Amino acid sequence: MSYRSSVEIYTEWDIVAARQLGRNEAKKTGFGTVDQARITTAISELARNIYLYAGKGKIEIERISENGAFGIKIIASDEGPGISDLRKVMEDGYSTSGGLGAGMPGVKRLMDEFKVVSEPGVGTTITAKKWLH
Amino acid sequence: MPREVGRQYKEILKKYIDSQSEEDLYVGQQFSRRFIEKQIAPEDVISIHKTALLELLPDLRDEVWISMDFLIEMMIHYGLTLREHQSLIRKQEILQMEMNVATKVQDTLLQTTSPNVKGLDVGWVSQPAHQMNGDYVYFLNENQHVASVAVADVMGKGIPAALCMSMIKFGMDGLEKGDTDPRAVLDIINRIVEKSVDNSMFISMFYGKYDARSSTFSYSSAGHEPALYFNAASGTFMELNAKGLLLGIKTDVVYEEHAVQMQDGDFIAMMTDGVTETRTEEGFIESESIQQLLESVRDQSAQKMAEHLYNELAGLQEYRLGDDFTIVIFKKNPEEV
């Protein structure tokens, strides 16, 4: 069972569309209200980062299953400036102090698995998963 | 486990809805600690509340349930912020532990022993304003007749200052066999500091050398507070000034060197600006006040004198030091025959 859909992020309205898609998929996967809210918030943060720092990019959402476990996967990708210091953006208090939102550590906390691949000048791809417990 | 918490929460909530008594609120407040203990996020608390309410009062209007979902959404960032704070607190605890270790390492590393020279009484106090000391005292006891001391103040405090001092200490250790005249010492240390420290770190240093064979005290200064020389015969103080630039600014600095001849009962007090810039409610302390404090205990041992000055001045600041505080006293005693 693998079903993927995506939203291109160009404007702030696209963030709302990505949230809506994420919430629907989370609900279909069987997540409860709180986890739906967490997944949606994570998508929202990732989409907002694309909108603010890369200008444009894409949010893909996929329902996944592995060894009998069900979950949801978010892929946020852009061809923006990339992140030069990954350790720094993963530090608590780095982005949040500027009021920029939950930041990377926040997204990581909201989800179960989190992976960043980034190359300065090329772009960033963030993959995050959450499993039904 | 959260299910168990949810069940208990429902019972407490039911009691309160029925009675609305202070006692039940008290029970509820105690129970909220369990949420925190079990690290249940705020959004989960709302969810537990909603679940309990669905069972207790299933007939509430739909708008109520919808509003609860909205509240859950509102709480997600609170939950994240809470967890971020918890992780920052853990980080801070680790840093604090490392600081405690670093302070111990600094103490061991910068240990120095009072010199032992006939007819010279040495006393000193060095107290940091914060955890790590930015003042530094180093004694050198070349032979049975000669005792030297370096009193340094690294501008800026804490860890960077402490790291900087280790460097000075190793520079000094290398001096043991070389030229130990004050101007030569400052020249060497200045070169070491200039090479190793970036320009934002300034260090002042006073270097004094007492030779018991001639009873002379020679000294040089790298932009440091002047020392105070007390002449027992006349009962007067004199400032010991010597021109010289702060350490580490440029390599070719010429340090002046001067000397005074000490008589029995004379003493020299070398200090950092933590002493001379003691702040009281009326502003900086007067130099005369320091002189009076020292003169009032001139008959006591050098150590007692240093401690007296520290206690008095720290007392004026209600023991909250604004800056690192260091005083070293060299006092000439009659030689026992």
Side-chain angles (χ1 to χ4, degrees):
Chain A
M1 187 189 85
S2 175
Y3 168 80
R4 185 191 281 199
S5 51
S6 69
V7 176
E8 305 275 336
I9 306 294
Y10 291 101
T11 69
E12 203 159 10
W13 294 113
D14 298 325
I15 301 174
V16 177
R19 289 177 58 111
Q20 185 66 68
L21 177 69
R23 195 182 301 272
N24 291 345
E25 293 303 316
K27 201 180 258 177
K28 280 186 215 157
T29 313
F31 284 105
T33 322
V34 175
D35 277 338
Q36 284 174 35
R38 287 187 179 128
I39 290 163
T40 306
T41 304
I43 291 168
S44 195
E45 291 294 320
L46 292 170
R48 208 173 148 72
N49 280 348
I50 291 173
Y51 170 68
L52 288 176
Y53 302 113
K56 61 181 179 16
K58 194 166 62 173
I59 298 278
E60 293 166 86
I61 291 154
E62 192 179 337
R63 279 187 267 152
I64 50 170
S65 66
E66 225 172 77
N67 307 324
F70 294 92
I72 199 162
K73 177 159 94 175
I74 311 165
I75 304 166
S77 55
D78 66 61
E79 291 168 11
I83 303 162
S84 55
D85 193 346
L86 275 176
R87 271 181 68 183
K88 198 140 211 175
V89 295
M90 291 311 294
E91 255 172 42
D92 276 319
Y94 174 68
S95 57
T96 46
S97 52
L100 297 175
M104 293 293 175
V107 174
K108 192 178 173 189
R109 287 200 175 102
L110 290 166
M111 306 295 285
D112 293 328
E113 291 174 36
F114 184 86
K115 201 176 83 183
V116 194
V117 179
S118 185
E119 203 179 314
V122 178
T124 304
T125 302
I126 295 168
T127 312
K129 292 178 191 171
K130 195 169 186 72
W131 298 101
L132 263 177
H133 294 294
Chain B
M1 205 57 195
R3 187 154 305 182
E4 179 60 20
V5 172
R7 199 185 53 76
Q8 290 172 2
Y9 180 83
K10 190 180 89 177
E11 273 170 32
I12 295 168
L13 177 65
K14 182 178 186 315
K15 269 196 186 157
Y16 179 68
I17 290 173
D18 292 344
S19 73
Q20 289 163 52
S21 75
E22 192 60 42
E23 191 190 333
D24 291 325
L25 279 183
Y26 176 66
V27 171
Q29 195 196 62
Q30 297 300 312
F31 190 75
S32 73
R33 288 169 199 261
R34 295 201 55 196
F35 285 137
I36 293 163
E37 261 168 41
K38 293 190 184 305
Q39 300 190 342
I40 294 173
E43 61 267 29
D44 284 316
V45 175
I46 314 282
S47 172
I48 289 168
H49 181 78
K50 183 187 165 189
T51 309
L53 212 55
L54 268 168
E55 290 171 26
L56 293 174
L57 304 166
D59 301 326
L60 288 178
R61 289 167 57 176
D62 273 351
E63 286 90 331
V64 175
W65 310 121
I66 293 166
S67 80
M68 295 245 167
D69 290 342
F70 188 79
L71 190 53
I72 287 172
E73 204 74 26
M74 291 293 100
M75 285 300 124
I76 298 280
H77 275 287
Y78 273 102
L80 279 178
T81 308
L82 180 69
R83 283 168 70 185
E84 186 183 33
H85 282 188
Q86 285 164 341
S87 116
L88 286 172
I89 285 168
R90 276 194 297 276
K91 245 191 217 170
Q92 204 229 322
E93 282 166 354
I94 293 168
L95 283 177
Q96 188 58 49
M97 268 159 54
E98 284 179 3
M99 270 291 272
N100 293 343
V101 176
T103 311
K104 282 205 190 95
V105 172
Q106 190 195 24
D107 287 346
T108 318
L109 204 65
L110 302 183
Q111 249 171 20
T112 187
T113 343
S114 281
N116 193 0
V117 163
K118 238 188 192 170
L120 182 72
D121 182 16
V122 177
W124 65 294
V125 168
S126 186
Q127 283 289 335
H130 302 295
Q131 204 167 359
M132 297 187 100
N133 202 339
D135 285 355
Y136 180 44
V137 175
Y138 183 93
F139 292 111
L140 204 65
N141 202 167
E142 273 175 78
N143 57 50
Q144 52 174 337
H145 307 293
V146 179
S148 302
V149 63
V151 177
D153 183 354
V154 182
M155 279 153 232
K157 291 182 191 63
I159 299 171
L163 291 173
C164 197
M165 268 180 297
S166 318
M167 189 188 60
I168 296 176
K169 143 125 189 154
F170 292 116
M172 297 293 222
D173 282 343
L175 290 174
E176 301 243 9
K177 293 195 175 61
D179 190 351
T180 59
D181 286 338
R183 62 190 306 169
V185 170
L186 288 189
D187 188 58
I188 293 165
I189 300 298
N190 179 47
R191 281 167 205 278
I192 295 174
V193 172
E194 207 274 332
K195 235 186 271 177
S196 344
V197 179
D198 75 283
N199 295 330
S200 63
M201 190 87 80
F202 300 112
I203 306 163
S204 71
M205 185 188 274
F206 186 92
Y207 195 86
K209 178 179 178 179
Y210 178 75
D211 192 327
R213 289 165 297 199
S214 55
S215 302
T216 47
F217 178 85
S218 50
Y219 59 94
S220 287
S221 171
H224 198 81
E225 288 290 316
L228 283 176
Y229 166 58
F230 178 73
N231 185 319
S234 64
T236 53
F237 279 92
M238 184 177 93
E239 281 194 347
L240 301 184
N241 283 300
K243 276 195 189 128
L245 201 60
L246 292 167
L247 298 176
I249 292 177
K250 57 178 200 176
T251 34
D252 293 316
V253 182
V254 178
Y255 291 102
E256 281 185 5
E257 182 176 316
H258 300 293
V260 286
Q261 182 102 34
M262 293 179 80
Q263 309 296 331
D264 290 350
D266 288 2
F267 65 81
I268 289 164
M270 292 155 273
M271 297 161 284
T272 56
D273 56 11
V275 179
T276 51
E277 289 173 12
T278 296
R279 264 186 181 283
T280 62
E281 278 175 3
E282 289 97 49
F284 288 130
I285 190 171
E286 298 288 330
S287 176
E288 287 75 42
S289 313
I290 295 175
Q291 295 176 8
Q292 277 163 16
L293 282 169
L294 286 170
E295 197 178 352
S296 69
V297 287
R298 55 186 273 204
D299 295 328
Q300 298 186 20
S301 71
Q303 187 57 37
K304 285 256 166 64
M305 290 173 70
E307 282 165 14
H308 177 73
L309 189 72
Y310 169 68
N311 286 329
E312 290 293 322
L313 294 187
L316 282 179
Q317 306 172 74
E318 288 161 350
Y319 296 92
R320 285 191 298 260
L321 296 183
D323 195 357
D324 304 326
F325 183 107
T326 298
I327 178 164
V328 178
I329 292 178
F330 272 20
K331 184 178 175 191
K332 184 173 170 5
N333 281 344
E335 274 181 64
E336 302 116 45
V337 188

Coordinates of all heavy atoms in Angstrom, one line a residue, chain B residues 227-284:
Chain B
A227 N 51.6 49.8 41.8 CA 51.6 49.2 43.2 C 51.8 50.3 44.2 O 52.1 51.4 43.9 CB 52.8 48.2 43.2
L228 N 51.5 49.9 45.4 CA 51.6 50.9 46.5 C 52.8 50.5 47.4 O 52.9 49.4 47.8 CB 50.4 50.9 47.4 CG 49.1 51.6 46.9 CD1 48.0 51.4 47.8 CD2 49.4 53.1 46.7
Y229 N 53.7 51.5 47.6 CA 54.9 51.3 48.4 C 54.7 52.1 49.7 O 54.5 53.3 49.7 CB 56.1 51.7 47.6 CG 57.4 51.8 48.5 CD1 57.8 50.7 49.2 CD2 58.1 53.0 48.6 CE1 59.0 50.8 50.0 CE2 59.2 53.1 49.4 CZ 59.7 52.0 50.1 OH 60.8 52.1 50.9
F230 N 54.8 51.4 50.8 CA 54.7 52.0 52.1 C 56.1 52.2 52.8 O 56.8 51.2 53.0 CB 53.7 51.3 53.0 CG 53.6 51.9 54.4 CD1 52.9 53.1 54.6 CD2 54.2 51.3 55.5 CE1 52.8 53.7 55.8 CE2 54.1 51.9 56.8 CZ 53.4 53.1 56.9
N231 N 56.4 53.4 53.0 CA 57.7 53.7 53.7 C 57.4 53.8 55.2 O 56.8 54.8 55.6 CB 58.2 55.0 53.1 CG 59.6 55.3 53.6 OD1 59.9 55.1 54.8 ND2 60.5 55.8 52.8
A232 N 57.9 52.9 55.9 CA 57.6 52.8 57.4 C 58.2 54.0 58.1 O 57.6 54.5 59.1 CB 58.1 51.5 58.0
A233 N 59.4 54.4 57.7 CA 60.1 55.4 58.5 C 59.4 56.7 58.4 O 59.2 57.4 59.4 CB 61.5 55.6 57.9
S234 N 58.9 57.1 57.2 CA 58.1 58.3 57.1 C 56.6 58.2 57.2 O 55.9 59.1 57.3 CB 58.5 59.0 55.7 OG 58.0 58.1 54.7
G235 N 56.2 56.9 57.2 CA 54.7 56.7 57.3 C 54.0 57.1 56.1 O 52.8 57.5 56.2
T236 N 54.6 57.1 54.9 CA 53.9 57.6 53.7 C 53.8 56.5 52.6 O 54.6 55.6 52.6 CB 54.7 58.8 53.1 OG1 56.0 58.4 52.9 CG2 54.5 60.0 54.0
F237 N 52.9 56.7 51.8 CA 52.7 55.8 50.6 C 53.2 56.5 49.4 O 53.2 57.7 49.2 CB 51.2 55.5 50.4 CG 50.7 54.4 51.3 CD1 50.1 54.7 52.6 CD2 50.8 53.1 50.9 CE1 49.6 53.7 53.4 CE2 50.3 52.1 51.8 CZ 49.7 52.4 53.0
M238 N 53.7 55.6 48.5 CA 54.1 56.1 47.2 C 53.6 55.1 46.1 O 53.7 53.9 46.3 CB 55.6 56.2 47.1 CG 56.2 56.8 45.9 SD 58.0 56.9 46.1 CE 58.6 55.4 45.3
E239 N 53.2 55.7 45.0 CA 52.8 54.8 43.9 C 54.0 54.3 43.1 O 54.8 55.1 42.8 CB 51.8 55.5 43.0 CG 50.4 55.6 43.6 CD 49.3 56.0 42.5 OE1 49.7 56.4 41.4 OE2 48.1 55.8 42.8
L240 N 54.0 53.0 42.8 CA 55.1 52.6 42.0 C 54.6 52.4 40.5 O 53.9 51.5 40.2 CB 55.6 51.2 42.5 CG 56.1 51.1 43.9 CD1 56.7 49.8 44.2 CD2 57.2 52.2 44.1
N241 N 54.9 53.4 39.7 CA 54.5 53.4 38.3 C 55.7 53.0 37.4 O 56.8 53.3 37.7 CB 54.1 54.8 37.9 CG 52.7 55.1 38.4 OD1 51.7 54.4 38.1 ND2 52.6 56.2 39.2
A242 N 55.4 52.3 36.3 CA 56.4 52.1 35.3 C 55.7 52.0 34.0 O 54.6 51.3 33.9 CB 57.1 50.8 35.6
K243 N 56.2 52.7 33.0 CA 55.5 52.8 31.7 C 55.6 51.5 30.9 O 56.7 50.9 30.9 CB 56.0 54.0 30.9 CG 55.4 55.3 31.3 CD 55.7 56.3 30.2 CE 55.2 57.7 30.7 NZ 56.2 58.7 30.6
G244 N 54.6 51.1 30.2 CA 54.7 49.9 29.4 C 53.3 49.6 28.9 O 52.3 49.8 29.6
L245 N 53.2 49.2 27.6 CA 51.9 48.9 27.0 C 51.4 47.5 27.5 O 52.1 46.7 27.9 CB 52.2 48.8 25.5 CG 51.0 49.0 24.5 CD1 50.3 50.4 24.8 CD2 51.4 48.9 23.1
L246 N 50.1 47.4 27.4 CA 49.4 46.1 27.8 C 50.1 45.0 26.9 O 50.6 45.2 25.9 CB 47.9 46.2 27.4 CG 47.0 47.1 28.2 CD1 45.7 47.3 27.5 CD2 46.9 46.5 29.6
L247 N 50.0 43.8 27.5 CA 50.6 42.6 26.8 C 49.8 42.3 25.5 O 48.6 42.4 25.5 CB 50.6 41.4 27.7 CG 51.4 41.5 29.0 CD1 51.2 40.3 29.8 CD2 52.9 41.8 28.7
G248 N 50.5 41.9 24.5 CA 49.9 41.3 23.3 C 49.4 42.2 22.3 O 48.8 41.9 21.3
I249 N 49.7 43.5 22.4 CA 49.2 44.5 21.4 C 50.2 44.6 20.3 O 49.9 44.6 19.1 CB 48.9 45.9 22.1 CG1 47.7 45.7 23.0 CG2 48.7 46.9 21.0 CD1 47.3 46.9 23.8
K250 N 51.5 44.8 20.6 CA 52.6 44.8 19.6 C 53.8 44.2 20.2 O 54.0 44.1 21.4 CB 52.8 46.1 19.0 CG 53.1 47.2 20.0 CD 53.4 48.5 19.2 CE 54.2 49.5 20.1 NZ 54.5 50.7 19.4
T251 N 54.7 43.7 19.3 CA 55.9 43.0 19.8 C 57.0 43.9 20.4 O 57.6 43.6 21.4 CB 56.5 42.2 18.7 OG1 56.4 42.8 17.5 CG2 55.9 40.8 18.6
D252 N 57.2 45.0 19.7 CA 58.4 45.8 20.2 C 58.0 46.9 21.2 O 57.8 48.1 20.9 CB 59.1 46.5 19.0 CG 59.7 45.5 18.1 OD1 60.3 44.5 18.6 OD2 59.5 45.5 16.8
V253 N 57.8 46.4 22.4 CA 57.5 47.4 23.5 C 58.7 47.5 24.4 O 59.3 46.5 24.7 CB 56.2 46.8 24.3 CG1 55.9 47.8 25.3 CG2 55.1 46.5 23.3
V254 N 59.0 48.7 24.8 CA 60.0 48.9 25.8 C 59.4 49.1 27.1 O 58.6 50.0 27.3 CB 60.9 50.1 25.4 CG1 62.0 50.3 26.5 CG2 61.5 49.9 24.0
Y255 N 59.7 48.2 28.0 CA 59.1 48.3 29.4 C 60.1 49.0 30.3 O 61.3 48.6 30.3 CB 58.8 46.9 29.9 CG 57.6 46.3 29.2 CD1 57.8 45.3 28.2 CD2 56.3 46.7 29.4 CE1 56.7 44.8 27.5 CE2 55.2 46.2 28.7 CZ 55.5 45.2 27.7 OH 54.4 44.7 27.0
E256 N 59.7 50.0 31.0 CA 60.5 50.6 32.0 C 60.8 49.7 33.2 O 59.9 48.9 33.5 CB 59.8 51.9 32.5 CG 59.9 53.1 31.6 CD 59.3 54.3 32.2 OE1 58.9 54.3 33.4 OE2 59.2 55.3 31.5
E257 N 61.9 49.9 33.8 CA 62.1 49.2 35.0 C 62.6 50.1 36.1 O 63.5 51.0 35.8 CB 63.2 48.0 34.8 CG 63.4 47.2 36.0 CD 64.4 46.0 35.8 OE1 64.2 45.3 34.7 OE2 65.2 45.8 36.6
H258 N 62.1 50.0 37.3 CA 62.5 50.9 38.4 C 62.7 50.1 39.6 O 62.4 48.9 39.6 CB 61.4 51.9 38.7 CG 61.1 52.8 37.6 ND1 62.0 53.7 37.0 CD2 60.0 52.9 36.8 CE1 61.4 54.4 36.0 NE2 60.2 53.9 35.9
A259 N 63.3 50.7 40.6 CA 63.6 49.9 41.8 C 63.5 50.8 43.0 O 63.6 52.0 43.0 CB 65.0 49.3 41.8
V260 N 63.1 50.2 44.1 CA 63.1 50.9 45.4 C 63.9 50.0 46.4 O 63.9 48.8 46.3 CB 61.7 51.1 46.0 CG1 61.0 52.2 45.2 CG2 60.9 49.9 46.0
Q261 N 64.5 50.7 47.3 CA 65.2 50.1 48.4 C 64.3 49.9 49.6 O 63.7 50.9 50.1 CB 66.4 50.9 48.8 CG 67.3 50.3 49.8 CD 68.6 49.7 49.2 OE1 69.1 50.2 48.2 NE2 69.0 48.6 49.8
M262 N 64.1 48.7 50.1 CA 63.1 48.5 51.2 C 63.9 48.5 52.5 O 65.0 47.9 52.6 CB 62.3 47.2 51.0 CG 61.4 47.3 49.8 SD 60.5 45.8 49.5 CE 59.2 45.9 50.7
Q263 N 63.2 49.1 53.5 CA 63.7 49.1 54.9 C 62.8 48.2 55.7 O 61.7 47.9 55.3 CB 63.8 50.5 55.5 CG 64.5 51.5 54.6 CD 66.0 51.2 54.4 OE1 66.6 50.6 55.3 NE2 66.6 51.6 53.3
D264 N 63.2 47.8 56.9 CA 62.4 47.0 57.8 C 61.0 47.7 58.0 O 61.0 48.9 58.3 CB 63.1 46.8 59.1 CG 64.3 45.9 59.0 OD1 64.4 45.3 57.9 OD2 65.0 45.8 59.9
G265 N 60.0 46.9 57.9 CA 58.6 47.5 58.1 C 58.0 48.0 56.8 O 56.8 48.3 56.8
D266 N 58.8 48.2 55.8 CA 58.2 48.7 54.5 C 57.4 47.6 53.9 O 57.8 46.4 54.1 CB 59.4 49.1 53.5 CG 60.1 50.4 53.9 OD1 59.7 50.9 54.9 OD2 61.0 50.8 53.1
F267 N 56.4 47.9 53.1 CA 55.7 46.9 52.4 C 55.2 47.4 51.0 O 55.1 48.6 50.8 CB 54.6 46.3 53.1 CG 53.4 47.2 53.4 CD1 52.4 47.5 52.5 CD2 53.3 47.8 54.7 CE1 51.4 48.3 52.7 CE2 52.2 48.7 55.0 CZ 51.3 48.9 54.0
I268 N 55.0 46.5 50.1 CA 54.6 46.8 48.8 C 53.3 46.0 48.5 O 53.3 44.8 48.7 CB 55.6 46.6 47.7 CG1 56.8 47.6 47.8 CG2 55.0 46.6 46.3 CD1 58.0 47.2 47.1
A269 N 52.2 46.7 48.1 CA 51.0 46.1 47.8 C 50.7 46.1 46.3 O 50.6 47.2 45.7 CB 49.8 46.7 48.5
M270 N 50.6 44.9 45.7 CA 50.3 44.9 44.2 C 48.9 44.4 44.1 O 48.5 43.4 44.7 CB 51.3 43.9 43.6 CG 52.7 44.4 43.6 SD 54.0 43.1 43.5 CE 54.2 42.7 45.2
M271 N 48.2 45.1 43.2 CA 46.7 44.8 43.1 C 46.2 44.8 41.7 O 46.9 45.2 40.8 CB 45.9 45.9 43.9 CG 46.3 46.0 45.3 SD 45.8 47.6 46.0 CE 47.1 48.7 45.4
T272 N 45.0 44.3 41.6 CA 44.3 44.4 40.2 C 43.2 45.4 40.4 O 42.9 45.9 41.5 CB 43.7 43.0 39.8 OG1 42.8 42.6 40.8 CG2 44.8 42.0 39.6
D273 N 42.6 45.8 39.3 CA 41.6 46.9 39.4 C 40.4 46.4 40.1 O 39.5 47.3 40.4 CB 41.3 47.5 38.0 CG 40.8 46.4 37.0 OD1 40.6 45.3 37.4 OD2 40.7 46.7 35.8
G274 N 40.2 45.1 40.4 CA 39.1 44.7 41.2 C 39.2 45.3 42.6 O 38.2 45.4 43.3
V275 N 40.5 45.6 43.0 CA 40.7 46.2 44.3 C 40.5 47.7 44.2 O 39.7 48.3 45.0 CB 42.1 45.9 44.9 CG1 42.3 46.6 46.2 CG2 42.3 44.4 44.9
T276 N 41.2 48.3 43.3 CA 41.2 49.8 43.2 C 39.9 50.4 42.7 O 39.6 51.5 43.0 CB 42.3 50.3 42.3 OG1 42.2 49.6 41.1 CG2 43.7 50.0 42.9
E277 N 39.1 49.5 42.0 CA 37.8 50.0 41.5 C 36.7 49.4 42.2 O 35.6 49.2 41.7 CB 37.7 49.7 40.0 CG 38.7 50.6 39.2 CD 38.8 50.3 37.7 OE1 37.9 49.5 37.2 OE2 39.7 50.8 37.0
T278 N 36.9 49.1 43.5 CA 35.8 48.7 44.4 C 34.7 49.8 44.4 O 35.0 50.9 44.6 CB 36.3 48.5 45.8 OG1 37.3 47.5 45.8 CG2 35.2 48.2 46.8
R279 N 33.5 49.3 44.1 CA 32.4 50.3 44.0 C 31.6 50.2 45.3 O 31.2 49.2 45.7 CB 31.5 49.9 42.8 CG 31.8 50.6 41.6 CD 30.7 50.3 40.5 NE 31.0 51.0 39.3 CZ 30.8 52.3 39.1 NH1 30.2 53.0 40.0 NH2 31.1 52.9 37.9
T280 N 31.4 51.4 45.8 CA 30.4 51.5 46.9 C 29.3 52.3 46.4 O 29.2 52.8 45.3 CB 31.1 52.2 48.1 OG1 31.5 53.5 47.7 CG2 32.4 51.4 48.5
E281 N 28.3 52.6 47.4 CA 27.2 53.4 47.0 C 27.6 54.8 46.5 O 26.9 55.4 45.7 CB 26.2 53.4 48.1 CG 25.3 52.2 48.2 CD 24.4 52.2 49.4 OE1 24.4 53.2 50.2 OE2 23.7 51.2 49.6
E282 N 28.7 55.2 47.1 CA 29.1 56.6 46.7 C 30.1 56.6 45.5 O 30.6 57.6 45.2 CB 29.9 57.3 47.9 CG 29.0 57.6 49.1 CD 29.0 56.5 50.1 OE1 30.1 56.1 50.5 OE2 27.9 56.1 50.6
G283 N 30.2 55.5 44.8 CA 31.1 55.5 43.7 C 32.4 54.7 44.0 O 32.4 53.9 44.9
F284 N 33.4 54.9 43.2 CA 34.7 54.2 43.4 C 35.3 54.5 44.7 O 35.2 55.7 45.2 CB 35.7 54.4 42.3 CG 35.3 53.8 41.0 CD1 35.3 54.6 39.8 CD2 35.0 52.5 40.9 CE1 34.9 54.0 38.6 CE2 34.6 51.9 39.7 CZ 34.6 52.6 38.5

